[in-house]
Amino acid sequence: LALSNFNAATCRGNSKYHYYGIRLKPESPLNRLQEDTQYMAMRQQPIHQKQRYRPAQKMDGVAEAGSNSSLHTTPEQSVAAQSQHHQQFIDVTHVFPEFPAPDLGNVLLQEGVTMNDVKTLQLLYRRHCEATLDVVMNLQFHYIEKLWQSFWSPKTPSSDGSAALPSSEEEHEGTLPKDKLITLCKYEPILKWMRSCDHILYQALVEILIPDVLRPVPSTLTQAIRNFAKSLEGWLMNAMSEFPPQIVQTKVGVVSAFAQTLRRYTSLNHLAQAARAVLQNTSQINQMLSDLNRVDFANVQEQASWVCQCEEGMVQKLEQDFKLTLQQQSSLDQWASWLDNVVTQVLKHHEGSPSFPKAARQFLLKWSFYSSMVIRDLTLRSAASFGSFHLIRLLYDEYMFYLVEHRVAQATGETPIAVMGEFGDLTSMSPTLLDKDHISDLGSEVDTDSRSVGEPLVKRERSDTGHSLQEI
């Protein structure tokens, strides 16, 4: 009898906890209904009435009631639950630049396609990009897939029989049938215009999500950004599955450059946070100075000069400045300022010259070669601070790459994403850019391989620095 009473009490107790904080199963179709309802409510707001920069309070179906709701969440859901906190790490005041007008020149439009259709495309595409900006600014990354599907495959029946989401908030003001959209995208001037718009959009998104590559950012946010970057190409290719391959390849090429930029910048940010601990440790700095003073820089210069042909005075000055900056136990921001000044001094003779991009790429090659020679000397001497130097070298190489790509973009009037996309598959060799004049030696093989398998112009980054930093 006592055992029976105990079991009954236990069951009653368990039932209390069993029903506490009841919520929908993650796999329930009701979740999707709730998501689509929230999405439709957001999309039906006219652009001029939106609180564009207001962070969403509830995203990804994360329940506010019950602390146990966060036990099985993805990184994206973690970001959603902490969106207000994460808003301080992104640039919510970013001003979205205007798009250029398409230059049709003397192109003759096919029968059934009018200039009014071109103007409608301009209007709808601008609204589509503004909606993309809103979604990313609110950290609602999963809605990007819905936006792309609604724009590139409008009113396509979904698996549950419901209609797809509309392609714009004010669809009644102008529509563009899918077949006409495909026809317009076949025009080279339209495709070129759309690529320029994408460069502007994705550069804006990068500057919103990562306004400062050196500023500490929560790991949940950086991981969500990296997961977002991994999904982009697949989402776009699925949304444009019924479009001609040439159009898809052009669009995916820009998206791939955007995704690669997000991965590079988050990796750079990760390196920066790891390096801060080294640069703030006095004993490590002293050990680095001691090991660096034993490096045979004369031998380094002798070997590197044959390859790089750098002015000896400049190399010696960089060596002295590096040691002095290290001795002063400079902060990461002070090191960043020093690196920026190095780029300015080296490239100042090429400013305003057509040779500026080439000189910038050559500088990256030479910087990387010299730093690898110093690391090699430290390795052969079994320097106690080798791990610290290796980390610092990784950071400085990547930050130099970041600085140079922005200088080249400024000099050419392009966005950094456009500069990176220009080099196609060869950007996977980051942080060293190949000289454009030398691409012809590899071009035929690269072009043949990429065209034969229909791969996008820019490949994914093939390495992650996380495990390397743990080893260091």
Side-chain angles (χ1 to χ4, degrees):
L1 179 62
L3 181 61
S4 176
N5 290 336
F6 173 77
N7 288 336
T10 302
C11 290
R12 286 195 299 271
N14 285 344
S15 67
K16 171 186 176 183
Y17 293 103
H18 179 71
Y19 292 102
Y20 179 76
I22 186 170
R23 61 186 183 279
L24 294 174
K25 286 184 176 181
E27 65 270 16
S28 171
L30 293 177
N31 276 321
R32 179 177 178 180
L33 176 63
Q34 181 185 28
E35 250 189 21
D36 288 347
T37 302
Q38 293 174 349
Y39 175 80
M40 287 294 291
M42 179 191 72
R43 297 286 291 137
Q44 288 171 357
Q45 298 177 38
I47 291 176
H48 63 276
Q49 293 180 1
K50 278 188 185 179
Q51 298 180 25
R52 170 167 293 169
Y53 308 127
R54 177 180 58 82
Q57 301 300 315
K58 292 172 66 177
M59 294 177 286
D60 286 305
V62 177
E64 290 180 342
S67 59
N68 292 336
S69 62
S70 62
L71 290 178
H72 303 287
T73 58
T74 64
E76 287 82 357
Q77 289 172 325
S78 297
V79 170
Q82 304 175 52
S83 59
Q84 285 185 323
H85 170 67
H86 287 152
Q87 290 291 318
Q88 63 181 301
F89 298 99
I90 66 175
D91 182 6
V92 296
T93 63
H94 195 282
V95 177
F96 193 26
E98 292 297 324
F99 285 166
D103 182 12
L104 296 179
N106 298 323
V107 174
L108 296 177
L109 299 177
Q110 295 181 9
E111 185 176 354
V113 179
T114 66
M115 285 302 300
N116 188 53
D117 293 327
V118 175
K119 292 180 180 179
T120 301
L121 175 61
Q122 286 182 255
L123 177 64
L124 294 180
Y125 200 69
R126 174 70 187 191
R127 289 175 181 166
H128 170 66
C129 292
E130 287 176 339
T132 302
L133 188 90
D134 288 335
V135 165
V136 170
M137 195 169 284
N138 285 325
L139 304 178
Q140 296 171 313
F141 297 138
H142 65 293
Y143 283 151
I144 293 296
E145 183 179 17
K146 296 177 182 290
L147 282 174
W148 285 348
Q149 288 175 348
S150 66
F151 184 85
W152 297 105
S153 301
K155 296 183 178 179
T156 301
S158 61
S159 58
D160 60 359
S162 62
L165 298 167
S167 58
S168 77
E169 297 89 339
E170 303 170 24
E171 189 177 8
H172 61 277
E173 290 189 6
T175 58
L176 202 61
K178 187 173 180 178
D179 57 344
K180 191 164 289 189
L181 176 60
I182 293 176
T183 301
L184 282 169
C185 288
K186 289 180 180 178
Y187 290 107
E188 185 60 32
I190 294 295
L191 208 53
K192 183 178 180 181
W193 165 79
M194 196 171 286
R195 184 167 56 241
S196 299
C197 294
D198 286 350
H199 285 149
I200 294 173
L201 169 65
Y202 295 133
Q203 186 62 43
L205 297 184
V206 169
E207 293 170 5
I208 287 168
L209 291 174
I210 314 175
D212 185 350
V213 292
L214 301 181
R215 181 186 179 187
V217 175
S219 59
T220 50
L221 179 57
T222 56
Q223 187 58 50
I225 292 174
R226 292 182 70 84
N227 290 341
F228 172 52
K230 291 177 183 178
S231 305
L232 287 169
E233 292 173 37
W235 287 348
L236 185 59
M237 292 178 73
N238 288 337
M240 301 185 69
S241 59
E242 298 179 20
F243 280 71
Q246 181 184 2
I247 300 171
V248 176
Q249 186 180 25
T250 300
K251 290 284 299 179
V252 172
V254 184
V255 167
S256 298
F258 170 52
Q260 186 198 58
T261 300
L262 289 179
R263 285 190 292 271
R264 282 181 42 234
Y265 287 9
T266 50
S267 292
L268 174 55
N269 185 270
H270 182 57
L271 283 168
Q273 306 331 311
R276 284 184 192 274
V278 173
L279 297 175
Q280 294 171 356
N281 190 310
T282 303
S283 61
Q284 283 183 284
I285 293 296
N286 291 335
Q287 183 63 56
M288 291 173 70
L289 271 172
S290 175
D291 293 337
L292 194 61
N293 286 328
R294 286 196 289 269
V295 171
D296 188 351
F297 279 96
N299 184 52
V300 168
Q301 168 63 9
E302 182 180 348
Q303 296 184 55
S305 62
W306 185 82
V307 176
C308 302
Q309 299 180 353
C310 292
E311 182 183 347
E312 185 175 355
M314 173 65 76
V315 176
Q316 290 177 349
K317 186 177 187 305
L318 289 178
E319 174 197 340
Q320 294 168 1
D321 288 348
F322 186 94
K323 289 180 178 178
L324 180 61
T325 309
L326 189 64
Q327 186 175 7
Q328 293 173 343
Q329 298 189 18
S330 301
S331 65
L332 182 58
D333 292 334
Q334 290 171 321
W335 274 109
S337 178
W338 179 77
L339 292 169
D340 186 79
N341 186 60
V342 170
V343 176
T344 300
Q345 293 299 315
V346 172
L347 299 179
K348 65 181 179 181
H349 300 299
H350 300 276
E351 291 181 0
S353 169
S355 65
F356 186 89
K358 179 179 178 180
R361 292 192 296 271
Q362 288 296 316
F363 165 68
L364 278 179
L365 287 167
K366 296 173 182 178
W367 172 273
S368 181
F369 190 85
Y370 269 98
S371 61
S372 66
M373 293 290 292
V374 174
I375 289 292
R376 190 193 73 162
D377 195 289
L378 290 167
T379 305
L380 294 176
R381 296 176 186 276
S382 300
S385 60
F386 168 78
S388 299
F389 270 113
H390 183 61
L391 173 60
I392 296 299
R393 186 263 173 116
L394 288 174
L395 171 62
Y396 292 1
D397 280 9
E398 284 296 331
Y399 191 65
M400 277 297 193
F401 188 21
Y402 170 84
L403 291 174
V404 167
E405 76 175 353
H406 279 74
R407 296 294 179 90
V408 171
Q410 184 179 10
T412 58
E414 299 281 357
T415 62
I417 283 186
V419 171
M420 290 298 97
E422 178 186 357
F423 294 96
D425 292 352
L426 299 179
T427 54
S428 63
M429 301 181 69
S430 165
T432 304
L433 286 174
L434 292 183
D435 186 344
K436 198 173 183 179
D437 297 337
H438 297 157
I439 290 178
S440 58
D441 297 335
L442 304 173
S444 58
E445 294 181 14
V446 172
D447 290 343
T448 301
D449 292 343
S450 63
R451 290 170 186 165
S452 63
V453 296
E455 293 175 344
L457 294 177
V458 182
K459 298 300 180 186
R460 294 184 181 277
E461 186 180 68
R462 291 178 173 82
S463 61
D464 194 338
T465 57
H467 63 280
S468 299
L469 295 182
Q470 292 174 1
E471 293 172 3
I472 294 172

